[in-house]
Amino acid sequence: MSEELRTVWWEADAVCLIDQLLLPHEQVVVRCTTPELVAHAIKSMQVRGAPAIGCTAAYGMALIALQSQAETVPALLADLEAGKVMLDSQRPTAVNLAWATDRLLTKARQLSAEVATPQALAAALLDEGHAVLNEDLAMCHAIGDHGAPLIPAGGRVLTHCNAGGLATAGYGTALAPMRTAFAQGRNIHVWVDETRPFLQGARLTAWELHQAGISLTLITDNMAGYMMKSGKVDCVIVGADRIVANGDTANKIGTYSLAILARAHNIPFYIAAPTSTIDLTMEHGDLIPIEERSEEEVTHLGGRMIAPVGVRAAHPAFDVTPAELITGIITERGVVTAPFAEGLRRVKEGA
Ligand SMILES: CSC[C@H]1O[C@H](OP(=O)(O)O)[C@H](O)[C@@H]1O
């Protein structure tokens, strides 16, 4: 199997990441040498996917500390508070962004009484950024271990968007069960939704699975129901951007439709996500902020206008799947099934 993918990493005083806007035909590394470049990478989706955004933002906070001109620790804390506001504002739906900036700011406050200089605090925050990344990698593999046995004997999994290594530090969430089952020698086939309008499936998931040697078929989003009705899908596994206390889950636009189709065809529908994607502060899915992205991402394809000039387009980038349509939520601490509230609290609190 190809060398394990790395999506975001720290190197030579910069947050480095694969420019996902250029995949699959170009593999270009972006070096974010300033917090503003980190913010741009998140907003523009050079890096995307909830856990990958979280890892990037964690290093973004460390970069803010390392480049701060603060002469005292309290002044550095003020810079970090402002930096959190700036980074959190780049994208609203994936909870991992605010989770990561909050973790780094909380760490800074905890250490502020112990460290003597802003430089010492900055060094400690870089270590925390490394911890976030390494924990994410471990969580992805654990999700693979818990998720692989859930793939039915037929091994035919439909997935949506990209919740693979490119959406995490590496290895992936929704793709982790397929990667792990494949590594265990199982016969796996993945139906990959292209995922209009940003084409994360066609450009990123297809690239990842092809690189890993895992069998796949690319389909347009409107083929999913046909494949299910034709008996070609054994289960659905998708990622998540925010899972709230009752199990309602925000994920890429089109996920809700898949959940309805899966229920209609009695096909198991799984969410795969690390516990960092669980947000117990929100009671239900109606509270999840849904990002509206530019109309041009719908009216244009590959930089070329596909709609008539002057035509408006809607572009909600996510939708919410109600908990009652979800068979199970695969986390690094095990699989949570209905009733979700107690199980999500258990895995989130690490019990
Ligand atoms: C493992 S999180 C992946 C998640 O993020 C994607 O959204 P985007 O590409 O806009 O960042 C999509 O919802 C994926 O399921």
Side-chain angles (χ1 to χ4, degrees), residues 155-208:
R156 301 166 303 174
V157 186
L158 188 145
T159 195
H160 189 70
C161 195
N162 173 259
L166 288 169
T168 65
Y171 204 73
T173 56
L175 295 191
M178 291 82 109
R179 286 181 183 272
T180 300
F182 178 75
Q184 292 167 345
R186 288 192 54 188
N187 187 18
I188 296 295
H189 185 81
V190 185
W191 298 102
V192 177
D193 271 3
E194 67 171 358
T195 315
R196 278 273 293 153
F198 215 74
L199 301 177
Q200 290 95 328
R203 295 188 302 109
L204 307 178
T205 298
W207 178 80
E208 274 198 50

Short mmCIF file of all heavy atoms in Angstrom, two decimals, residues 155-208:
data_model
loop_
_atom_site.label_atom_id
_atom_site.label_comp_id
_atom_site.label_asym_id
_atom_site.label_seq_id
_atom_site.Cartn_x
_atom_site.Cartn_y
_atom_site.Cartn_z
N GLY A 155 -18.95 -5.99 1.11
CA GLY A 155 -17.84 -5.05 1.02
C GLY A 155 -18.06 -3.84 0.14
O GLY A 155 -17.12 -3.13 -0.20
N ARG A 156 -19.32 -3.58 -0.24
CA ARG A 156 -19.60 -2.46 -1.17
C ARG A 156 -20.14 -1.26 -0.39
O ARG A 156 -21.27 -1.29 0.11
CB ARG A 156 -20.59 -2.91 -2.25
CG ARG A 156 -20.09 -4.10 -3.08
CD ARG A 156 -21.21 -4.72 -3.88
NE ARG A 156 -22.31 -5.16 -3.02
CZ ARG A 156 -23.46 -5.64 -3.48
NH1 ARG A 156 -23.67 -5.73 -4.78
NH2 ARG A 156 -24.41 -6.01 -2.62
N VAL A 157 -19.30 -0.24 -0.26
CA VAL A 157 -19.62 0.91 0.59
C VAL A 157 -19.80 2.14 -0.28
O VAL A 157 -18.98 2.40 -1.17
CB VAL A 157 -18.49 1.18 1.60
CG1 VAL A 157 -18.89 2.29 2.58
CG2 VAL A 157 -18.11 -0.10 2.35
N LEU A 158 -20.88 2.89 -0.03
CA LEU A 158 -21.05 4.17 -0.72
C LEU A 158 -20.62 5.29 0.23
O LEU A 158 -20.97 5.26 1.43
CB LEU A 158 -22.51 4.36 -1.15
CG LEU A 158 -22.78 5.58 -2.04
CD1 LEU A 158 -23.89 5.27 -3.07
CD2 LEU A 158 -23.14 6.81 -1.22
N THR A 159 -19.86 6.23 -0.28
CA THR A 159 -19.46 7.37 0.54
C THR A 159 -19.68 8.67 -0.22
O THR A 159 -19.87 8.67 -1.44
CB THR A 159 -17.99 7.25 1.01
OG1 THR A 159 -17.74 8.18 2.07
CG2 THR A 159 -17.02 7.51 -0.14
N HIS A 160 -19.67 9.78 0.52
CA HIS A 160 -20.02 11.10 -0.04
C HIS A 160 -18.96 12.10 0.39
O HIS A 160 -18.41 12.01 1.47
CB HIS A 160 -21.38 11.52 0.53
CG HIS A 160 -21.99 12.74 -0.09
ND1 HIS A 160 -22.47 12.76 -1.37
CD2 HIS A 160 -22.23 13.97 0.44
CE1 HIS A 160 -22.97 13.97 -1.63
NE2 HIS A 160 -22.84 14.72 -0.56
N CYS A 161 -18.63 13.01 -0.51
CA CYS A 161 -17.64 14.05 -0.24
C CYS A 161 -16.27 13.39 0.00
O CYS A 161 -15.98 12.32 -0.53
CB CYS A 161 -18.07 14.90 0.94
SG CYS A 161 -17.13 16.44 1.05
N ASN A 162 -15.44 14.06 0.80
CA ASN A 162 -14.16 13.43 1.17
C ASN A 162 -14.03 13.50 2.68
O ASN A 162 -13.97 14.58 3.26
CB ASN A 162 -12.97 14.13 0.52
CG ASN A 162 -11.65 13.57 1.04
OD1 ASN A 162 -11.00 14.17 1.90
ND2 ASN A 162 -11.26 12.40 0.56
N ALA A 163 -14.04 12.32 3.26
CA ALA A 163 -13.77 12.20 4.70
C ALA A 163 -12.63 11.19 4.83
O ALA A 163 -12.69 10.26 5.63
CB ALA A 163 -15.01 11.75 5.45
N GLY A 164 -11.63 11.42 3.99
CA GLY A 164 -10.47 10.54 3.98
C GLY A 164 -9.28 11.19 4.64
O GLY A 164 -9.41 12.13 5.42
N GLY A 165 -8.11 10.71 4.28
CA GLY A 165 -6.89 11.28 4.84
C GLY A 165 -6.78 12.77 4.57
O GLY A 165 -6.31 13.54 5.40
N LEU A 166 -7.32 13.22 3.44
CA LEU A 166 -7.25 14.65 3.08
C LEU A 166 -8.15 15.51 3.96
O LEU A 166 -8.03 16.73 3.99
CB LEU A 166 -7.61 14.84 1.61
CG LEU A 166 -6.55 14.34 0.61
CD1 LEU A 166 -7.12 14.33 -0.79
CD2 LEU A 166 -5.28 15.19 0.67
N ALA A 167 -9.10 14.88 4.66
CA ALA A 167 -9.99 15.63 5.56
C ALA A 167 -9.50 15.55 7.00
O ALA A 167 -10.18 16.04 7.91
CB ALA A 167 -11.41 15.08 5.46
N THR A 168 -8.35 14.92 7.19
CA THR A 168 -7.82 14.72 8.55
C THR A 168 -6.31 14.92 8.47
O THR A 168 -5.79 15.36 7.46
CB THR A 168 -8.11 13.28 9.02
OG1 THR A 168 -7.37 12.37 8.19
CG2 THR A 168 -9.59 12.94 8.92
N ALA A 169 -5.62 14.55 9.56
CA ALA A 169 -4.15 14.64 9.51
C ALA A 169 -3.61 13.61 8.53
O ALA A 169 -2.53 13.77 7.96
CB ALA A 169 -3.58 14.39 10.90
N GLY A 170 -4.38 12.58 8.30
CA GLY A 170 -4.01 11.48 7.39
C GLY A 170 -4.88 10.29 7.74
O GLY A 170 -5.44 10.23 8.82
N TYR A 171 -5.10 9.36 6.88
CA TYR A 171 -5.83 8.10 7.03
C TYR A 171 -7.35 8.26 6.91
O TYR A 171 -8.01 7.44 6.32
CB TYR A 171 -5.48 7.38 8.34
CG TYR A 171 -5.75 5.88 8.28
CD1 TYR A 171 -4.92 5.04 7.53
CD2 TYR A 171 -6.82 5.31 8.94
CE1 TYR A 171 -5.17 3.67 7.46
CE2 TYR A 171 -7.07 3.94 8.88
CZ TYR A 171 -6.24 3.13 8.14
OH TYR A 171 -6.50 1.77 8.06
N GLY A 172 -7.92 9.31 7.54
CA GLY A 172 -9.34 9.59 7.30
C GLY A 172 -10.27 9.10 8.38
O GLY A 172 -9.88 8.39 9.32
N THR A 173 -11.55 9.51 8.23
CA THR A 173 -12.59 9.03 9.16
C THR A 173 -13.52 8.08 8.40
O THR A 173 -13.46 6.88 8.61
CB THR A 173 -13.37 10.23 9.73
OG1 THR A 173 -13.91 10.99 8.64
CG2 THR A 173 -12.49 11.12 10.58
N ALA A 174 -14.35 8.61 7.50
CA ALA A 174 -15.27 7.71 6.78
C ALA A 174 -14.51 6.72 5.90
O ALA A 174 -14.98 5.60 5.69
CB ALA A 174 -16.23 8.52 5.92
N LEU A 175 -13.34 7.08 5.40
CA LEU A 175 -12.57 6.14 4.58
C LEU A 175 -11.73 5.20 5.43
O LEU A 175 -11.24 4.18 4.92
CB LEU A 175 -11.67 6.89 3.59
CG LEU A 175 -12.34 7.73 2.51
CD1 LEU A 175 -11.31 8.17 1.47
CD2 LEU A 175 -13.50 7.00 1.85
N ALA A 176 -11.60 5.48 6.70
CA ALA A 176 -10.75 4.63 7.57
C ALA A 176 -11.26 3.19 7.63
O ALA A 176 -10.46 2.25 7.49
CB ALA A 176 -10.66 5.23 8.97
N PRO A 177 -12.56 2.93 7.82
CA PRO A 177 -13.01 1.53 7.82
C PRO A 177 -12.70 0.80 6.53
O PRO A 177 -12.31 -0.38 6.56
CB PRO A 177 -14.53 1.65 8.05
CG PRO A 177 -14.70 2.95 8.76
CD PRO A 177 -13.67 3.85 8.17
N MET A 178 -12.80 1.48 5.39
CA MET A 178 -12.49 0.84 4.12
C MET A 178 -10.99 0.58 4.02
O MET A 178 -10.55 -0.48 3.57
CB MET A 178 -12.95 1.68 2.94
CG MET A 178 -14.47 1.77 2.80
SD MET A 178 -15.19 3.00 3.89
CE MET A 178 -15.69 4.25 2.72
N ARG A 179 -10.17 1.58 4.44
CA ARG A 179 -8.72 1.38 4.41
C ARG A 179 -8.32 0.19 5.30
O ARG A 179 -7.52 -0.67 4.90
CB ARG A 179 -7.99 2.64 4.91
CG ARG A 179 -7.96 3.82 3.95
CD ARG A 179 -7.18 4.97 4.58
NE ARG A 179 -7.14 6.19 3.77
CZ ARG A 179 -6.23 6.44 2.83
NH1 ARG A 179 -5.29 5.53 2.55
NH2 ARG A 179 -6.24 7.58 2.15
N THR A 180 -8.91 0.13 6.50
CA THR A 180 -8.53 -0.93 7.44
C THR A 180 -9.01 -2.30 6.95
O THR A 180 -8.26 -3.28 6.99
CB THR A 180 -9.12 -0.61 8.83
OG1 THR A 180 -8.58 0.65 9.27
CG2 THR A 180 -8.78 -1.71 9.85
N ALA A 181 -10.25 -2.35 6.45
CA ALA A 181 -10.76 -3.63 5.93
C ALA A 181 -9.91 -4.10 4.75
O ALA A 181 -9.60 -5.29 4.63
CB ALA A 181 -12.23 -3.46 5.51
N PHE A 182 -9.53 -3.17 3.88
CA PHE A 182 -8.67 -3.50 2.73
C PHE A 182 -7.32 -4.03 3.22
O PHE A 182 -6.82 -5.03 2.72
CB PHE A 182 -8.48 -2.26 1.87
CG PHE A 182 -7.58 -2.45 0.68
CD1 PHE A 182 -8.02 -3.13 -0.44
CD2 PHE A 182 -6.28 -1.94 0.68
CE1 PHE A 182 -7.19 -3.30 -1.55
CE2 PHE A 182 -5.44 -2.11 -0.42
CZ PHE A 182 -5.89 -2.79 -1.54
N ALA A 183 -6.77 -3.38 4.22
CA ALA A 183 -5.46 -3.82 4.76
C ALA A 183 -5.57 -5.20 5.41
O ALA A 183 -4.59 -5.95 5.48
CB ALA A 183 -4.96 -2.79 5.78
N GLN A 184 -6.78 -5.53 5.85
CA GLN A 184 -7.01 -6.85 6.46
C GLN A 184 -7.26 -7.93 5.40
O GLN A 184 -7.53 -9.08 5.72
CB GLN A 184 -8.23 -6.78 7.41
CG GLN A 184 -7.97 -5.94 8.66
CD GLN A 184 -9.26 -5.63 9.42
OE1 GLN A 184 -10.38 -5.80 8.90
NE2 GLN A 184 -9.11 -5.11 10.64
N GLY A 185 -7.21 -7.51 4.13
CA GLY A 185 -7.35 -8.47 3.03
C GLY A 185 -8.76 -8.65 2.53
O GLY A 185 -9.03 -9.52 1.69
N ARG A 186 -9.69 -7.83 3.01
CA ARG A 186 -11.08 -7.98 2.57
C ARG A 186 -11.28 -7.39 1.17
O ARG A 186 -10.53 -6.50 0.74
CB ARG A 186 -12.02 -7.30 3.56
CG ARG A 186 -12.15 -8.04 4.89
CD ARG A 186 -13.30 -7.50 5.71
NE ARG A 186 -14.55 -7.50 4.95
CZ ARG A 186 -15.68 -6.92 5.40
NH1 ARG A 186 -15.68 -6.27 6.56
NH2 ARG A 186 -16.78 -6.95 4.67
N ASN A 187 -12.30 -7.90 0.49
CA ASN A 187 -12.64 -7.43 -0.85
C ASN A 187 -13.57 -6.22 -0.71
O ASN A 187 -14.75 -6.38 -0.39
CB ASN A 187 -13.34 -8.57 -1.62
CG ASN A 187 -13.57 -8.19 -3.07
OD1 ASN A 187 -12.93 -7.26 -3.57
ND2 ASN A 187 -14.48 -8.88 -3.71
N ILE A 188 -13.03 -5.04 -0.91
CA ILE A 188 -13.78 -3.79 -0.67
C ILE A 188 -13.98 -3.06 -1.99
O ILE A 188 -13.06 -2.98 -2.82
CB ILE A 188 -13.00 -2.88 0.31
CG1 ILE A 188 -12.90 -3.55 1.69
CG2 ILE A 188 -13.65 -1.50 0.42
CD1 ILE A 188 -14.22 -3.75 2.40
N HIS A 189 -15.17 -2.53 -2.19
CA HIS A 189 -15.43 -1.65 -3.35
C HIS A 189 -16.15 -0.42 -2.85
O HIS A 189 -17.12 -0.53 -2.07
CB HIS A 189 -16.27 -2.35 -4.42
CG HIS A 189 -16.44 -1.49 -5.65
ND1 HIS A 189 -15.48 -1.38 -6.62
CD2 HIS A 189 -17.44 -0.64 -6.03
CE1 HIS A 189 -15.88 -0.55 -7.56
NE2 HIS A 189 -17.06 -0.08 -7.22
N VAL A 190 -15.73 0.74 -3.29
CA VAL A 190 -16.32 1.99 -2.82
C VAL A 190 -17.01 2.73 -3.97
O VAL A 190 -16.41 2.96 -5.02
CB VAL A 190 -15.26 2.91 -2.18
CG1 VAL A 190 -15.91 4.16 -1.58
CG2 VAL A 190 -14.47 2.17 -1.10
N TRP A 191 -18.30 3.02 -3.76
CA TRP A 191 -19.03 3.90 -4.68
C TRP A 191 -18.77 5.33 -4.20
O TRP A 191 -19.13 5.67 -3.06
CB TRP A 191 -20.52 3.59 -4.65
CG TRP A 191 -20.89 2.20 -5.08
CD1 TRP A 191 -21.23 1.14 -4.28
CD2 TRP A 191 -20.97 1.73 -6.43
NE1 TRP A 191 -21.50 0.04 -5.05
CE2 TRP A 191 -21.36 0.36 -6.37
CE3 TRP A 191 -20.75 2.30 -7.68
CZ2 TRP A 191 -21.53 -0.42 -7.51
CZ3 TRP A 191 -20.94 1.52 -8.82
CH2 TRP A 191 -21.31 0.18 -8.74
N VAL A 192 -18.16 6.14 -5.03
CA VAL A 192 -17.73 7.48 -4.62
C VAL A 192 -18.62 8.53 -5.26
O VAL A 192 -18.59 8.73 -6.49
CB VAL A 192 -16.26 7.72 -5.02
CG1 VAL A 192 -15.82 9.14 -4.67
CG2 VAL A 192 -15.34 6.70 -4.35
N ASP A 193 -19.45 9.18 -4.44
CA ASP A 193 -20.24 10.31 -4.95
C ASP A 193 -19.31 11.43 -5.35
O ASP A 193 -18.43 11.82 -4.58
CB ASP A 193 -21.15 10.85 -3.81
CG ASP A 193 -22.50 10.16 -3.74
OD1 ASP A 193 -22.74 9.22 -4.52
OD2 ASP A 193 -23.29 10.58 -2.87
N GLU A 194 -19.51 11.97 -6.55
CA GLU A 194 -18.62 13.07 -6.99
C GLU A 194 -18.70 14.27 -6.07
O GLU A 194 -17.72 14.98 -5.86
CB GLU A 194 -18.94 13.48 -8.43
CG GLU A 194 -20.31 14.13 -8.59
CD GLU A 194 -20.53 14.71 -9.98
OE1 GLU A 194 -19.61 14.65 -10.81
OE2 GLU A 194 -21.64 15.22 -10.24
N THR A 195 -19.90 14.52 -5.55
CA THR A 195 -20.18 15.58 -4.58
C THR A 195 -20.06 16.99 -5.16
O THR A 195 -19.13 17.74 -4.90
CB THR A 195 -19.30 15.44 -3.32
OG1 THR A 195 -19.25 14.08 -2.89
CG2 THR A 195 -19.88 16.31 -2.18
N ARG A 196 -21.05 17.30 -6.00
CA ARG A 196 -21.18 18.68 -6.48
C ARG A 196 -21.48 19.59 -5.31
O ARG A 196 -22.06 19.14 -4.33
CB ARG A 196 -22.34 18.73 -7.48
CG ARG A 196 -21.98 18.28 -8.90
CD ARG A 196 -21.43 19.41 -9.73
NE ARG A 196 -22.43 20.44 -10.01
CZ ARG A 196 -22.10 21.72 -10.24
NH1 ARG A 196 -20.84 22.09 -10.16
NH2 ARG A 196 -23.03 22.60 -10.51
N PRO A 197 -21.13 20.87 -5.36
CA PRO A 197 -20.42 21.51 -6.48
C PRO A 197 -18.90 21.50 -6.35
O PRO A 197 -18.23 21.78 -7.35
CB PRO A 197 -20.93 22.95 -6.40
CG PRO A 197 -21.14 23.17 -4.94
CD PRO A 197 -21.62 21.86 -4.38
N PHE A 198 -18.34 21.21 -5.18
CA PHE A 198 -16.89 21.35 -5.01
C PHE A 198 -16.14 20.11 -5.46
O PHE A 198 -14.92 20.09 -5.56
CB PHE A 198 -16.58 21.66 -3.54
CG PHE A 198 -15.42 22.60 -3.33
CD1 PHE A 198 -15.55 23.95 -3.59
CD2 PHE A 198 -14.21 22.11 -2.90
CE1 PHE A 198 -14.49 24.82 -3.40
CE2 PHE A 198 -13.14 22.97 -2.70
CZ PHE A 198 -13.28 24.32 -2.96
N LEU A 199 -16.89 19.01 -5.72
CA LEU A 199 -16.32 17.78 -6.27
C LEU A 199 -15.24 17.17 -5.37
O LEU A 199 -14.24 16.62 -5.85
CB LEU A 199 -15.77 18.02 -7.68
CG LEU A 199 -16.82 18.52 -8.70
CD1 LEU A 199 -16.15 18.80 -10.04
CD2 LEU A 199 -17.96 17.51 -8.88
N GLN A 200 -15.48 17.19 -4.05
CA GLN A 200 -14.51 16.54 -3.15
C GLN A 200 -14.41 15.04 -3.43
O GLN A 200 -13.36 14.43 -3.29
CB GLN A 200 -14.91 16.74 -1.68
CG GLN A 200 -14.77 18.15 -1.15
CD GLN A 200 -16.06 18.95 -1.24
OE1 GLN A 200 -16.86 18.73 -2.18
NE2 GLN A 200 -16.28 19.89 -0.34
N GLY A 201 -15.53 14.44 -3.84
CA GLY A 201 -15.50 13.01 -4.13
C GLY A 201 -14.69 12.69 -5.37
O GLY A 201 -13.78 11.86 -5.36
N ALA A 202 -15.03 13.38 -6.47
CA ALA A 202 -14.36 13.10 -7.75
C ALA A 202 -12.88 13.47 -7.68
O ALA A 202 -12.02 12.76 -8.21
CB ALA A 202 -15.06 13.88 -8.86
N ARG A 203 -12.57 14.60 -7.04
CA ARG A 203 -11.20 15.10 -7.05
C ARG A 203 -10.34 14.51 -5.93
O ARG A 203 -9.16 14.21 -6.13
CB ARG A 203 -11.18 16.63 -6.89
CG ARG A 203 -11.82 17.42 -8.02
CD ARG A 203 -11.59 18.91 -7.86
NE ARG A 203 -12.10 19.43 -6.59
CZ ARG A 203 -11.32 19.85 -5.59
NH1 ARG A 203 -10.00 19.77 -5.70
NH2 ARG A 203 -11.86 20.33 -4.48
N LEU A 204 -10.95 14.28 -4.76
CA LEU A 204 -10.14 13.93 -3.59
C LEU A 204 -10.31 12.47 -3.15
O LEU A 204 -9.33 11.74 -3.02
CB LEU A 204 -10.50 14.87 -2.43
CG LEU A 204 -10.41 16.38 -2.76
CD1 LEU A 204 -10.82 17.22 -1.55
CD2 LEU A 204 -9.02 16.77 -3.25
N THR A 205 -11.55 12.04 -2.93
CA THR A 205 -11.75 10.65 -2.50
C THR A 205 -11.31 9.66 -3.58
O THR A 205 -10.62 8.68 -3.28
CB THR A 205 -13.24 10.41 -2.14
OG1 THR A 205 -13.58 11.26 -1.04
CG2 THR A 205 -13.48 8.96 -1.73
N ALA A 206 -11.67 9.93 -4.82
CA ALA A 206 -11.25 9.03 -5.91
C ALA A 206 -9.72 8.98 -5.99
O ALA A 206 -9.12 7.91 -6.16
CB ALA A 206 -11.84 9.49 -7.23
N TRP A 207 -9.09 10.14 -5.81
CA TRP A 207 -7.61 10.19 -5.84
C TRP A 207 -7.03 9.38 -4.71
O TRP A 207 -6.14 8.55 -4.90
CB TRP A 207 -7.16 11.64 -5.74
CG TRP A 207 -5.66 11.84 -5.72
CD1 TRP A 207 -4.80 11.83 -6.79
CD2 TRP A 207 -4.85 12.08 -4.56
NE1 TRP A 207 -3.51 12.04 -6.36
CE2 TRP A 207 -3.51 12.21 -5.00
CE3 TRP A 207 -5.13 12.22 -3.19
CZ2 TRP A 207 -2.45 12.46 -4.12
CZ3 TRP A 207 -4.08 12.47 -2.32
CH2 TRP A 207 -2.75 12.59 -2.79
N GLU A 208 -7.55 9.57 -3.49
CA GLU A 208 -7.03 8.85 -2.32
C GLU A 208 -7.16 7.35 -2.47
O GLU A 208 -6.22 6.59 -2.24
CB GLU A 208 -7.82 9.26 -1.06
CG GLU A 208 -7.33 10.49 -0.37
CD GLU A 208 -7.87 10.55 1.07
OE1 GLU A 208 -7.76 9.54 1.79
OE2 GLU A 208 -8.43 11.58 1.44
#
